[in-house]
């Protein structure tokens, strides 16, 4: 989305009545671990700041795409996802994006969609990962929104299991597509 030619192609493909965008941008710039690592490795703060700048740039690129589609008469249906604990949810640029496109937030628990540890001593245990989706589609948002009602203990999202939680489970994808 940062390449102008790619944005043009997206706008041309998105110029239909049934155009939805599932957006999941890299969230490392304001993850809870980034704040810990800023204190632990202060010489890397410039690198962390660059992640935030790139996130903002990608959001502005998305706004360019979405505004062009709206001007053409095809307002986009947006599904914007980040982990619930990510600091970007309090970021001024993302808050502007949410307000601009009138998005509402819905909360999901990964354990309710069979998100399980695949590494280490907790392999096979459910993971307590929370995602937030901001969308104008209250039907899908409310249909996906869950609370944890598990009776079994959860594994902690840490180590090798952290990286794999960036992906959606088959159960979450199936639930999204049935709504």
């Amino acid at each position: 989305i940062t390449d102008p030619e790619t944005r043009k192609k997206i706008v041309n493909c998105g110029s239909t009545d049934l155009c939805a965008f599932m957006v999941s941008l890299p969230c490392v710039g304001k993850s809870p671990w980034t704040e810990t690592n800023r204190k632990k490795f202060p010489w890397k703060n410039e690198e962390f700041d660059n992640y935030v700048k790139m996130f903002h740039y990608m959001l502005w690129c998305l706004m360019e795409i979405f505004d062009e589609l709206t001007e053409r008469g095809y307002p986009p249906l947006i599904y914007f996802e980040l982990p619930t604990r990510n600091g970007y949810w309090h970021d001024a640029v993302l808050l502007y994006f949410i307000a601009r496109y009138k998005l509402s937030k819905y909360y999901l628990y990964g354990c309710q969609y069979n998100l399980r540890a695949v590494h280490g001593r907790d392999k096979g245990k459910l993971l307590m990962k929370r995602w937030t989706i901001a969308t104008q589609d209250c039907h899908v948002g409310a249909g996906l929104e869950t609370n944890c009602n598990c009776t079994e203990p959860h594994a902690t999202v840490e180590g090798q299991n952290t990286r794999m939680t960036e992906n959606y489970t088959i159960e979450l994808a199936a639930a999204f597509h049935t709504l």
Side-chain angles (χ1 to χ4, degrees), residues 61-159:
C61 291
L62 284 170
M63 286 187 258
E64 182 181 309
I65 292 166
F66 296 160
D67 290 349
E68 176 69 23
L69 288 169
T70 301
E71 287 173 20
R72 291 182 180 199
Y74 303 104
L77 184 55
I78 301 166
Y79 302 93
F80 186 94
E81 177 273 322
L82 282 172
T84 300
R85 293 183 54 219
N86 194 281
Y88 283 125
W89 288 115
H90 307 288
D91 181 270
V93 179
L94 183 55
L95 291 172
Y96 174 76
F97 177 88
I98 289 168
R100 182 177 184 137
Y101 298 105
K102 298 176 176 65
L103 308 180
S104 297
K105 292 184 199 174
Y106 298 89
Y107 304 95
L108 316 165
Y109 283 83
C111 59
Q112 298 301 293
Y113 291 102
N114 202 32
L115 182 64
R116 294 183 179 271
V118 295
H119 301 284
R121 70 186 185 290
D122 290 330
K123 184 176 181 176
K125 285 187 179 177
L126 291 169
L127 288 166
M128 176 65 85
K129 166 87 178 232
R130 289 192 65 194
W131 287 298
T132 300
I133 294 180
T135 182
Q136 316 96 314
D137 186 346
C138 62
H139 177 72
V140 167
L144 292 175
E145 192 164 48
T146 61
N147 286 310
C148 174
N149 58 10
C150 299
T151 56
E152 64 183 272
H154 292 71
T156 304
V157 178
E158 63 184 6

Side-chain angles (χ1 to χ4, degrees), residues 46-64:
E46 184 177 342
E47 180 181 338
F48 298 134
D49 292 341
N50 287 336
Y51 288 130
V52 174
K53 288 176 187 172
M54 181 54 80
F55 183 90
H56 289 160
Y57 180 60
M58 287 188 278
L59 271 181
W60 289 111
C61 291
L62 284 170
M63 286 187 258
E64 182 181 309

